Amino acid sequence: QVQLVESGGGLVHSGGSLRLSCAASRSIFSSSVSSSVMGWYRRAPGKGRELVATITSDGSPNYADSVNGRFTISRDNAKNTVYLQMNSLKSEDTAVYYCYAYYYRTNYWGQGTQVTVSS
């Protein structure tokens, strides 16, 4: 079982930056675990869930086209934490951001953190 806790959301002006953190209760990227993934999804008002970014056990990042070049996903294995550095934020980025983990063939989700970007 894995618990994911997000933090770092808030209100920011367009063009600003935020850094989201997701702390996992277990080491998702332990060397004994294969095919592990952590990342971020978001749900904007009136829209479905959208993949934002993921990072795999081998360190390979993946980004949605809408955030590519502006967002950076990273991890700190020692802290069991994944980060999402969000730069050049736009009002369209306003959403609840959910941490995600795929671990031992199971999907885990955090409770979400609100990101609001004012125009």
Side-chain angles (χ1 to χ4, degrees):
Q1 295 293 320
V2 177
Q3 294 178 335
L4 304 173
V5 180
E6 304 101 328
S7 63
L11 175 65
V12 66
H13 292 293
S14 179
S17 298
L18 285 173
R19 188 192 192 197
L20 305 183
S21 298
C22 175
S25 61
R26 294 189 177 186
S27 298
I28 303 300
F29 298 114
S30 169
S31 61
S32 65
V33 179
S34 63
S35 301
S36 296
V37 179
M38 291 191 70
W40 297 89
Y41 285 76
R42 67 186 181 187
R43 185 181 295 275
K47 298 182 179 180
R49 187 176 63 188
E50 176 190 18
L51 174 68
V52 177
T54 60
I55 187 165
T56 59
S57 57
D58 66 359
S60 298
N62 183 64
Y63 300 97
D65 290 342
S66 59
V67 306
N68 193 32
R70 299 187 297 119
F71 291 10
T72 301
I73 189 169
S74 62
R75 66 187 186 188
D76 186 335
N77 291 348
K79 297 181 178 180
N80 301 325
T81 299
V82 65
Y83 304 95
L84 185 68
Q85 179 66 47
M86 305 185 295
N87 298 326
S88 302
L89 283 162
K90 307 173 181 179
S91 60
E92 301 93 282
D93 296 317
T94 295
V96 178
Y97 285 71
Y98 297 91
C99 184
Y100 165 81
Y102 179 75
Y103 181 75
Y104 279 113
R105 302 181 181 181
T106 303
N107 295 309
Y108 297 92
W109 296 93
Q111 293 300 305
T113 185
Q114 177 70 48
V115 172
T116 302
V117 184
S118 62
S119 300

